[in-house]
Amino acid sequence: MNSGTDMEWIASKGAPLHGELAVPGDKSVSHRAIMLASLADGTSRIDGFLEGEDARATETIFRRMGVRIETPQAGSRVVHGVGIDGLHAPDGPLDCGNAGTGMRLLAGLLAGQAFDTTLVGDASLSKRPMRRVTVPLARMGARIDTGEGGVPPLRIHGGSALHGIDIDTEVASAQVKSALLLAGLYARGATTVREPHPTRDYTERMLQALGWPIEFSPGYARLEGGHRLRARDIVVPADFSSAAFFLVAASLVPGSELRLRRVGVNPRRTGLLHVLRLMGADIVEHPAGEQGGEPVSDLVVRHAPLRGIEVPEEHVADMIDEFPVLFVAAACARGTTVVRGAAELRVKESDRIATMAAGLRTLGASIDERPDGAVIQGDARLGGGAVQSHGDHRIAMSFAVAAQLAQGEVRIGDVANVATSFPGFDTLAVGAGFGLRAG
């Protein structure tokens, strides 16, 4: 099977899940590794690079701006950095594909270049809001034009004299914070970012690892322009968001026990881990050091009966990508689960609240949508049916998990975009015990 080309999956109850799995490299770290290694002085080797369409789109963009990037083998890149001011003007628009992370971070990085650029994306990305990035960047002196309604394409005018700012962001978003910090590399003076809730600190950790002076703590980051990045080898940890599907599936399917190897457990990324444990999940961490400046652990998960909870709002920002599969866990748990403070889900690759609610209702679950979340009745007796992922990779994989509890086949439409974050998901899932095949 090939997630990149099959437009439909047929999923059904499989066997108890067993084995040791290595999920692909972290997408967020892969984006940042390519970007910062390209701007560094010297040659960096990246291992564990995600061979997904999103990360490859970022790689292609830097190749088009004059960076030589070699591929000695799958999952590895050798990046010959051009230095902080060494990028060249591309010969046309730069295609971010489906990568919202790539586009928003690039908006900040490219705002400080001497040349003009245009960022475009696929149909899904072309509907996603960009003013949350472009408006604060404008306060730094950036000149960025958007499409009508503040969506892509982004037309970034080069030659702007950027200046640092001290800003309290309105949205708790690692992408917004990272865009401002990357612009801050080219700005005169200091750039300080304070967030309403702490978000992932991947950019801060990697800047520090490559030698850029930066201060950061949960919800706060500060750096000054005018320094240099030094090349270094980077090992990308396994992606927690990809591991999440197997954490939930093994928790739900009786008789299951899985070991997920060397998963990134950045504390700003593992909100789902805390929430699943509150629901009664049996997940044990075995710390395994650091990779690419990120803490990693082997995660051992065994089947355990889950119970519904009110999801603590302090965990929401740390699990925003994992809510689709949490909805599946909640539908199969005993009792009611309440999600609040997750309005960000409305503007992801799809409206994830509406899409998950519609699909799970089709399979027999009871969900009451709220503007910023949902009330999910547990004890659902899931049946078969046809559901749509609307091109959202995390929705597609979440319904594949739900099908492992369903009485009947689940047809999952529009699954091609799974290749953006988890190429080979179907093959790995089948090997672990999932019932899943191409439609």
Side-chain angles (χ1 to χ4, degrees):
M1 288 185 286
N2 185 325
S3 297
T5 56
D6 291 331
M7 297 304 296
E8 181 180 74
W9 285 336
I10 299 174
S12 58
K13 187 177 292 188
L17 306 180
H18 288 285
E20 288 198 11
L21 304 182
V23 301
D26 189 290
K27 184 169 69 165
S28 297
V29 177
S30 294
H31 281 302
R32 289 160 172 83
I34 288 288
M35 292 180 186
L36 296 184
S38 294
L39 298 177
D41 299 320
T43 300
S44 303
R45 182 183 175 102
I46 304 169
D47 288 307
F49 179 77
L50 173 63
E51 296 287 1
E53 292 175 2
D54 278 8
R56 284 179 170 179
T58 294
E59 175 189 5
T60 298
I61 283 170
F62 280 87
R63 289 180 190 272
R64 291 188 55 205
M65 291 190 293
V67 181
R68 184 160 63 93
I69 303 174
E70 299 168 332
T71 306
Q73 62 193 40
S76 295
R77 297 293 187 273
V78 176
V79 182
H80 299 272
V82 296
I84 195 72
D85 296 312
L87 296 178
H88 296 152
D91 57 3
L94 299 171
D95 189 354
C96 298
N98 187 245
T101 297
M103 180 173 283
R104 291 191 178 113
L105 270 59
L106 282 165
L109 190 155
L110 295 175
Q113 304 303 318
F115 49 84
D116 295 351
T117 45
T118 298
L119 298 177
V120 299
D122 67 7
S124 171
L125 182 54
S126 296
K127 299 175 184 175
R128 296 180 67 181
M130 292 294 152
R131 282 184 178 144
R132 59 181 54 191
V133 168
T134 61
V135 169
L137 284 173
R139 288 182 54 186
M140 300 180 70
R143 294 178 296 140
I144 304 175
D145 301 323
T146 68
E148 186 176 352
V151 299
L154 302 185
R155 296 177 180 87
I156 304 167
H157 300 275
S160 300
L162 302 185
H163 53 83
I165 56 171
D166 187 322
I167 185 171
D168 294 284
T169 60
E170 295 181 3
V171 178
S173 166
Q175 295 176 2
V176 173
K177 173 179 62 176
S178 296
L180 296 172
L181 292 176
L182 291 175
L185 303 183
Y186 296 91
R188 175 173 41 83
T191 297
T192 303
V193 182
R194 297 180 185 83
E195 303 176 281
H197 304 288
T199 65
R200 302 167 189 177
D201 57 3
Y202 292 137
T203 301
E204 298 94 304
R205 286 172 179 260
M206 194 169 292
L207 284 168
Q208 185 178 67
L210 271 66
W212 196 283
I214 181 171
E215 304 169 29
F216 63 96
S217 57
Y220 170 86
R222 181 185 185 277
L223 57 73
E224 292 189 6
H227 298 282
R228 309 289 296 184
L229 293 165
R230 298 190 299 270
R232 64 164 288 177
D233 292 346
I234 299 167
V235 181
V236 179
D239 196 319
F240 182 85
S241 290
S242 295
F245 303 103
F246 294 101
L247 293 176
V248 170
S251 294
L252 293 175
V253 175
S256 295
E257 180 174 342
L258 285 175
R259 187 181 191 96
L260 299 160
R261 296 198 299 270
R262 303 188 72 80
V263 178
V265 288
N266 184 306
R268 298 273 69 85
R269 184 65 177 270
T270 51
L272 179 71
L273 201 57
H274 299 292
V275 169
L276 287 176
R277 285 173 172 156
L278 290 174
M279 297 174 76
D282 180 358
I283 303 171
V284 178
E285 290 183 63
H286 298 275
E290 285 196 354
Q291 291 183 189
E294 296 289 330
V296 298
S297 291
D298 286 359
L299 302 178
V300 177
V301 53
R302 300 176 181 87
H303 166 69
L306 302 184
R307 59 182 176 272
I309 63 168
E310 290 202 14
V311 176
E313 288 195 40
E314 63 263 28
H315 292 314
V316 167
D318 297 339
M319 58 178 293
I320 203 70
D321 285 336
E322 289 74 56
F323 270 104
V325 78
L326 175 72
F327 278 32
V328 175
C332 298
R334 181 170 298 279
T336 301
T337 295
V338 180
V339 175
R340 298 187 182 91
E344 181 77 4
L345 293 172
R346 297 286 189 185
V347 293
K348 300 297 281 183
E349 283 83 340
S350 68
D351 179 337
R352 286 179 171 165
I353 296 173
T355 305
M356 285 305 301
L360 285 171
R361 286 190 198 109
T362 295
L363 302 183
S366 175
I367 300 180
D368 179 18
E369 281 187 57
R370 303 289 169 84
D372 67 340
V375 178
I376 306 160
Q377 304 300 328
D379 301 302
R381 301 178 66 85
L382 300 181
V387 297
Q388 278 296 321
S389 69
H390 296 286
D392 189 322
H393 50 125
R394 302 199 196 281
I395 298 284
M397 291 183 279
S398 296
F399 283 130
V401 172
Q404 305 315 301
L405 284 301
Q407 304 299 317
E409 290 187 340
V410 178
R411 301 185 73 94
I412 308 167
D414 201 5
V415 303
N417 269 348
V418 170
T420 64
S421 69
F422 201 152
F425 166 80
D426 41 14
T427 301
L428 195 64
V430 169
F434 273 55
L436 185 64
R437 67 182 193 275

